[in-house]
């Protein structure tokens, strides 16, 4: 499958990328742990089949100091011992926020997130799940491929 379209090669795409980067930067400026944010983005991207975002978030997580073993285990996080209870709550939230039902996320998952994350971190998680799902959809629609992303490349879109 070849890329259909260079979204970032258009004026509109570049404007939107700058705004997305700014929103992402706002999430990363909260007290939500940066590596938790990368795990959440990685899990949503796995569920959505977004190779471009998988590539980006694996490389950004490694650059931020994440253990590659943990990244290999994100897809099966429930059957591992390498994630904290807070990270597991965030991963469950990412899954349920990505695979939406009419309920949104379950009360159990919501309560678990609230047990581990304060109001600001919860707001960051809600926004992050929305943003990564939107980014995944744009990349999947335009058939963007993973493999060539260089860590820090999205910084060019930040104001």
């Amino acid at each position: 499958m070849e890329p259909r379209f260079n979204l970032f090669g258009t004026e509109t795409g570049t404007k939107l990328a700058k705004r997305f980067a700014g929103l992402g930067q706002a999430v990363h400026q909260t007290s939500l742990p940066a590596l938790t944010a990368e795990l959440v983005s990685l899990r949503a991207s796995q569920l959505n089949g977004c190779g471009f975002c998988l590539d980006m978030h694996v490389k950004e997580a490694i650059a931020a100091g994440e253990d590659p073993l943990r990244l290999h285990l994100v897809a099966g996080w429930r059957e591992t011992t390498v994630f904290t209870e807070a990270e597991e709550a965030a991963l469950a939230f990412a899954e349920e926020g990505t695979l939406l039902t009419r309920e949104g996320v379950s009360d159990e998952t919501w309560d678990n997130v609230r047990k581990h994350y304060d109001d600001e971190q919860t707001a960051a998680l809600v926004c992050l799940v929305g943003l990564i799902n939107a980014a995944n959809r744009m990349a999947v629609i335009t058939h963007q491929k993973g493999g060539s992303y260089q860590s820090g490349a999205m910084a060019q879109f930040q104001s």
Side-chain angles (χ1 to χ4, degrees):
M1 181 170 28
E2 291 300 314
R4 286 182 169 157
F5 187 69
N6 180 4
L7 186 62
F8 298 142
T10 68
E11 184 179 335
T12 298
T14 300
K15 284 180 185 178
L16 289 170
K18 286 181 180 182
R19 285 173 175 79
F20 254 79
L23 293 169
Q25 187 176 28
V27 168
H28 287 290
Q29 290 172 343
T30 69
S31 60
L32 180 68
L35 293 177
T36 298
E38 294 300 341
L39 294 173
V40 164
S41 294
L42 180 59
R43 186 62 186 131
S45 298
Q46 288 172 335
L47 293 170
N48 288 322
C50 183
F52 180 82
C53 292
L54 284 168
D55 185 28
M56 178 189 334
H57 293 291
V58 163
K59 289 174 179 172
E60 293 295 350
I62 290 170
E66 182 58 85
D67 180 350
L69 173 64
R70 286 172 26 105
L71 298 176
H72 288 292
L73 295 173
V74 167
W77 64 269
R78 285 182 179 83
E79 289 80 35
T80 71
T81 60
V82 300
F83 299 103
T84 67
E85 286 183 16
E87 290 168 335
E88 289 176 351
L91 288 165
F93 185 78
E95 288 181 356
E96 291 182 29
T98 297
L99 304 171
L100 280 178
T101 65
R102 286 178 169 226
E103 182 181 16
V105 299
S106 67
D107 289 340
E108 178 184 358
T109 296
W110 181 259
D111 292 344
N112 204 21
V113 164
R114 297 303 289 152
K115 174 180 161 187
H116 294 285
Y117 298 100
D118 65 24
D119 288 351
E120 294 301 318
Q121 293 167 325
T122 299
L125 274 171
V126 169
C127 294
L128 176 61
V129 169
L131 288 169
I132 190 59
N133 276 283
N136 289 165
R137 281 153 177 75
M138 287 186 280
V140 170
I141 287 167
T142 60
H143 292 182
Q144 300 307 299
K145 293 184 173 199
S148 62
Y149 180 81
Q150 298 296 315
S151 182
M154 291 307 287
Q156 69 177 318
F157 295 109
Q158 295 175 354
S159 310

